Amino acid sequence: MAIIGITIICISCFCAPMYIFIDCYYLPKLYLFVIGVFIYWVSNFLLESKVGNNECVLDNLSLFYIIYIIMSEYECVYVIVNIIRSGHSEIGEFGTFDNPAGLALTLSIAVSMIIILSSKTNKRGVQFLLFMMSIPIVIILLFTHSRTGLICLALNTLILLWFLLLRFSNNKSLMRVVFSTTAIILLISVVLYVIFNKYDSTIGREFILEQSLEIIRKHPIIGYGSDGFQREYMLQQANFFKENPNSIYENYADEVRYPMNEFVYLWINYGIGGPILLASLFLFPFILYKKQKLIHETLLPLISVIIFSFFSYPFHYQSSWLVLLLVFSPIFHFISRKITISFNIRMYSTCLIGILLIVCLSIDIYYEYQWQMAEKISFRGNHKKALNRYSELHKYFHDNRFFLYSYAMAAFKGGDMQTAHNVISESGQYWNGYARELLSGDICLYLNEYEEASEHFSKAHYMCPVRFAPLEGLYKVYNLTDNVLKKDSIVEIIATKSVKVESSDIERIKETCK
């Protein structure tokens, strides 16, 4: 039964998107991961009750790695098939994930697992097989165009080189020269790649970090609470461009949902305690396992998660939680063996937790499916039926900013402007962003609330100065209110504004506002 749990956990990290949910990439992976962890936990409990030996994750570590690597190979096949069918994506391959960063993180962890298994065996056949399995993983990792993935690959290469030098060379001076030379070459290569590739993205990330630190500066101790980043960041970005017109960052600004740094994200939400807690979470295993013989077996994959935490959002992906499971499970196992609890209490607790888990997952899956159905009905034009479903789901998803936006958009398309206005206003306590301001402006425009519409369109414009849609909204407001001076000003801005990405919408806006 343990192997079933392990297999489900590893499959969850690569689960293909299921379009029965709105979030078709993340939710299937999450549900499978939770189910897999529970099955593995129950299997350990049953094994203990049968033979009196509670199995630890370390006892199944190689099995975790083997199944995870096999699933990585399937992921590579999936990506290769997509490339053959549709061609290589310019932004990078993302496979069964919603972003190339997710694929890069997951494959980086697989590379570290291959290194661990290679270092544990002396069988040349097994080592050769692992080497051959690493080739497609490394190739697809490079196809993601992930700079953080490249950093992890370079670091894993250095670690593998160090293991090989320790095994096959007794000349310490030669070891230092070879290792140092390789490290310098890899460092220069990575730096040059980061500088000259995805330059716009690098500048954009620097700007996001600067504005995030400005938000932190205002409340460094206590933070802004849960969803603080989603509420505050785009407002800060709008204020920056309002105070700094014609900034060099205007062409790089877009709607931002994450600061691309786990430490900064936690600091904004929960104050200084957030990044301290995360740093402690990462450092504690290294301190605890410092003198352990199997240190690299559980901590090497953790290094990839740590690196991605500085440049991305690794905890959005189940592979990071798998790594934490592998790292911390032995610690919890050790603690649990020190606590004496009767078998009956543990059995009843396991049954109760299992029932609660099944109930909670079933309820969440049901509501997520109903949300997807409501959106499909809205897209098909049956707005009255869709709004009835949204109204029924509202109580469950009342604090979900994505649901509130979806609900407001469905009401807007259905012509129920008052409901749309109420719902989009409600979402402001959880989220402030470009899409919200733009929809709010359109709703107010239809309600003839021109002053409020102008405020929303102006805010959307300052949030993302490169976009044309807010300018079109302002043009409509000034046209309907016969404000010729401001209308002419907007027309001039649209006519002279540079286009970042050509589209039919921009051509239509330029033609309309001539």
Side-chain angles (χ1 to χ4, degrees), residues 193-204:
Y193 180 85
V194 171
I195 292 175
F196 294 107
N197 189 56
K198 292 188 177 181
Y199 176 79
D200 290 356
S201 176
T202 302
I203 296 297

Side-chain angles (χ1 to χ4, degrees), residues 390 393-404 407 423 426-427 429-430:
Y390 272 108
L393 297 170
H394 184 221
K395 186 176 181 180
Y396 185 80
F397 290 114
H398 69 278
D399 57 350
N400 187 316
R401 64 186 186 275
F402 300 110
F403 171 81
L404 294 175
Y407 186 5
V423 174
E426 180 186 349
S427 70
Q429 59 184 309
Y430 308 109

Side-chain angles (χ1 to χ4, degrees), residues 14 71-79 94-97 103 107:
F14 302 89
M71 294 309 304
S72 298
E73 298 296 331
Y74 278 110
E75 179 74 19
C76 292
V77 172
Y78 180 89
V79 173
F94 51 87
T96 60
F97 300 84
L103 179 59
L107 295 182

Side-chain angles (χ1 to χ4, degrees), residues 88 92 107 137-146 149-150 153 193:
H88 178 51
L107 295 182
I137 294 175
V138 171
I139 292 173
I140 300 301
L141 177 57
L142 294 174
F143 277 7
T144 64
H145 298 169
S146 170
L150 187 64
L153 180 59
Y193 180 85

Side-chain angles (χ1 to χ4, degrees), residues 100-123:
L103 179 59
L105 167 67
T106 307
L107 295 182
S108 296
I109 292 171
V111 171
S112 65
M113 290 179 177
I114 289 175
I115 293 173
I116 292 170
L117 292 178
S118 299
S119 65
K120 287 175 63 176
T121 181
N122 292 319
K123 296 179 179 180

